[in-house]
Amino acid sequence: MYDVATRAGVSHQTVSRVLNDFPGIRPETRQRVLAAIAELGYRPNRAARALVTSRSRAIGVLVPATADFGPMSSLHAIERAARAAGYHALITSTLIETDAVRESLQFLLDQSIEALVVIAPYRVVTDELDAVPLGIPTALLQTGDADAAGAIAVDQRAGARLAARHLLDLGHRNIQQLTGPADYLEAVARRDAVDDELAAAGASRLPHLTGDWTADSGYAAGSALDPATTAVLCGNDQMALGLMHALADLGRAVPGDVSVVGFDDIPESAHSLPPLTTVHQDFEEVGRRAVNDLVARLEGREPDLAGQTVAPALVVRSSTWQPRM
């Protein structure tokens, strides 16, 4: 900063005022300072500024080391919302292992972040959060439990019930589930909610099939369906798309022979053949609410948005129909 001041012929305080966009700086002075900054390649030292102001204006974000649609959609919304609020998102990913989660959390805390967003779909992540004293405002996304402290979530159980009720209302009673991994919190929440809904309706209890969220695992499930199945409720859209591909290869029509429902409403689900009935999750709204909540807490005010649960919505397309009698 002193080098910039010397080059521009001003005081270092003037350089600081230009950098912080203070009013009252003459246009020609501002231009000289900006030209000196460009000539010298000067970058403000954020670490030094944080020491002076006790504010890093950084929000840490911990994400699983996957490219899944939901976490990535929320992540992009978090970045945009943080920037709009005058903060920066500092992001690191983690493998789903205790030591890796602990190391990633410590890395973020060592960067003097002011708040933390954890996209935490796995039990190992929430367990580690319980074990580490964070001491900063924290928001948890995709925990599968909208009632957990700090959780901001789409109501997974409500979404699963919507999907199950849709199939039941069409007349299906032999409904099989293709669930996500058992260590994925939201997969368990959806699975259990569907089981409860089917049991309450007196529907047949067919064995669960388990996938890994990928279309390949959905395709593999096609040959493992129970012969009595007239409808399949899938834990996400990618598995549903893979399943529909498998059914087509097996000569079974969707929805004529088997109805299929997904979960998430990824963009591709509207363009499958047939277009996929699914449950819409507003991942971007979840990300926005997380940042809104954290910034409000940092600034000592109430969040603008009341409540933390985001409602899902059933999107009915052409992959579901009444069962053949």
Side-chain angles (χ1 to χ4, degrees):
M1 187 182 293
Y2 283 92
D3 291 340
V4 170
T6 300
R7 178 67 63 91
V10 298
S11 69
H12 73 275
Q13 291 94 338
T14 298
V15 175
S16 177
R17 292 189 184 101
V18 170
L19 288 170
N20 289 287
D21 203 26
F22 275 61
I25 304 293
R26 290 184 296 176
E28 59 271 23
T29 300
R30 183 182 300 276
Q31 189 55 46
R32 286 207 316 276
V33 171
L34 293 176
I37 288 172
E39 290 169 11
L40 295 172
Y42 171 73
R43 287 181 176 273
N45 187 322
R46 293 193 177 277
R49 181 179 295 181
L51 286 174
V52 173
T53 63
S54 297
R55 297 292 306 274
S56 68
R57 302 198 72 82
I59 296 175
V61 187
L62 181 66
V63 297
T66 67
D68 292 340
F69 177 76
M72 291 302 100
S73 297
S74 292
L75 175 60
H76 295 157
I78 289 165
E79 286 189 288
R80 289 192 293 270
R83 193 179 306 118
Y87 289 77
H88 299 277
L90 179 61
I91 302 157
T92 192
S93 64
T94 180
L95 297 174
I96 308 306
E97 302 166 355
T98 298
D99 289 345
V101 172
R102 184 176 303 149
E103 181 179 327
S104 296
L105 277 172
Q106 195 57 55
F107 167 78
L108 288 172
L109 295 172
D110 288 346
Q111 310 312 307
S112 300
I113 56 173
E114 295 190 38
L116 176 65
V117 181
V118 181
I119 302 179
Y122 295 93
R123 178 65 63 191
V124 65
V125 180
T126 55
D127 287 347
E128 195 57 32
L129 287 172
D130 290 339
V132 176
L134 298 175
I136 55 175
T138 302
L140 306 183
L141 276 60
Q142 299 185 341
T143 63
D145 184 0
D147 296 326
I152 301 173
V154 175
D155 191 331
Q156 301 297 304
R157 292 174 176 81
R161 288 193 295 269
L162 284 173
R165 178 50 56 190
H166 170 66
L167 292 173
L168 290 167
D169 288 346
L170 287 172
H172 291 278
R173 289 300 180 270
N174 296 318
I175 301 169
Q176 195 162 14
Q177 286 200 69
L178 172 54
T179 73
D183 61 344
Y184 202 101
L185 297 171
E186 291 188 335
V188 174
R190 297 172 201 169
R191 179 198 68 198
D192 292 349
V194 170
D195 281 347
D196 291 346
E197 197 72 17
L198 297 183
S204 300
R205 176 67 183 268
L206 298 175
H208 296 149
L209 300 173
T210 302
D212 62 5
W213 299 130
T214 66
D216 285 346
S217 69
Y219 186 90
S223 59
L225 291 183
D226 189 286
T229 297
T230 63
V232 183
L233 208 163
C234 301
N236 75 342
D237 289 346
Q238 284 94 337
M239 292 194 298
L241 296 176
L243 175 66
M244 289 199 297
H245 181 188
L247 291 171
D249 284 353
L250 292 167
R252 305 185 70 184
V254 176
D257 296 319
V258 181
S259 288
V260 177
V261 179
F263 209 105
D264 286 343
D265 194 22
I266 64 174
E268 294 82 1
S269 65
H271 304 288
S272 59
L273 290 176
L276 179 65
T277 294
T278 186
V279 176
H280 177 76
Q281 298 201 77
D282 194 338
F283 294 110
E284 293 202 0
E285 178 64 13
V286 169
R288 285 192 295 269
R289 289 198 188 191
V291 173
N292 175 80
D293 177 75
L294 293 175
V295 170
R297 289 158 67 185
L298 288 171
E299 298 179 354
R301 55 181 174 78
E302 289 295 318
D304 296 332
L305 295 170
Q308 304 302 300
T309 302
V310 179
L314 181 69
V315 181
V316 178
R317 298 191 179 107
S318 306
S319 66
T320 50
W321 194 243
Q322 298 169 351
R324 289 180 175 172
M325 303 304 291

